[in-house]
Amino acid sequence: MKTILVTGGAGFVGSHACKALARAGYRPVTFDNLERGHEWAVKWGPLERGDLREEIDLQKAFETWRPWAVMHFAAYSYVGESIVDPMKYYLNNVGGTAKLLSACASFGCTNFVFSSSCATYGIPARLPLKEEDAQSPVSPYGHTKLVVERMLKEAEASHRIRHVALRYFNAAGADPDGEIGEVHEPETHLIPLVLFTAMGHLPSIKIFGDDYPTPDGTCIRDYVHVSDLADAHLGALQWLEAGNPSSSFNLGNGHGASVTEVIRASENAAGLPIKAEICPRRSGDPPILVSNSDKANELLGWKPKFPRLDQQIGHAWKWLKRQSA
Ligand code: UFG
């Protein structure tokens, strides 16, 4: 059985990847400092509590588990927070990853799957976005992900570490079996906040801008189910196992939904009206982000099982209801 060190395995996407790995016959070992991840989400393998910024923690994890590959999710991931405190983002997302790659080099672990982001593209010059489009981030968070993509190329040249960088669009939904789901503290993402409003935890959902150049004036995003993202990580691992070269892939469904459409779909899932208020734009939000994921479809054999917004919101709603029961 191959051991995969999953940094951030106690987080939203990382925990779903651990489930997919275990189901496919790998041993996922979660490496997480539990600052933003959750111990309850580590269900499919051991937890190695540690911090990327501490070489000693990494050394212990590599010595104990001798992983065949690393799946690297651990990172700070709030665009807004990265604008307020960029160095925090560089120290963890870039500095921590440099230490992780050094550990990989020292222990001869030469297979690496990286959680990158559509935030590396910035404001798109054309849509849908393809992997070869210019990457010009508009937030420190996006820059940290792009710097790591660059570091991975250098790690390959110097240490023969092959990698796959997966550029997700907007992760959504929850485990269809209801075992794990999205819990961010604080929560800033649209779908959970809309559903919190439906549950009465918030008085209304704030719509950040209704004057964008989109059909209803609100921002459009390409929502992708977290279990489909987990499957793509498995596909990426198998791509490396088959001896293929390093590569990067967009992960989205190729169609966008506006903020208003997300609210409507959530009203349908909850069976209730959801109060919304129009607020000023949030800085750093591109009007439209939609992925062209043909490359992942063709080369990784990635076929999303839950491409529709109603499926994603339905699973997220089921998860939240279960948490509050
Ligand atoms: N939005 C609202 N009200 C809210 C929250 C969000 O109107 O209360 C809007 C945002 O302005 C945006 C859309 O809903 O237009 C989606 O916002 P999210 O915060 O859910 O997601 P983002 O698109 O900002 O962020 C996601 C990932 C990031 C990644 C980014 C790339 O969470 O990690 O996509 O743009 F960097």
Side-chain angles (χ1 to χ4, degrees), residues 269-301:
L272 307 159
I274 296 172
K275 197 165 168 239
E277 56 174 313
I278 307 296
C279 294
R281 291 182 179 197
R282 191 173 69 174
S283 73
D285 273 339
I288 309 179
L289 288 173
V290 176
S291 169
N292 176 321
S293 307
D294 290 352
K295 189 176 167 195
N297 301 150
E298 284 159 24
L299 297 185
L300 300 182

Side-chain angles (χ1 to χ4, degrees), residues 21-62:
L21 284 168
R23 274 191 170 170
Y26 299 90
R27 182 201 286 131
V29 174
T30 289
F31 180 89
D32 203 300
N33 63 6
L34 300 181
E35 182 188 337
R36 295 191 176 176
H38 310 282
E39 197 160 0
W40 53 256
V42 185
K43 293 176 190 267
W44 290 278
L47 169 65
E48 186 73 42
R49 198 166 172 170
D51 194 299
L52 286 180
R53 293 159 289 195
E54 300 292 341
E55 275 121 339
I56 192 151
D57 293 355
L58 286 166
Q59 195 170 345
K60 178 169 168 275
F62 276 81

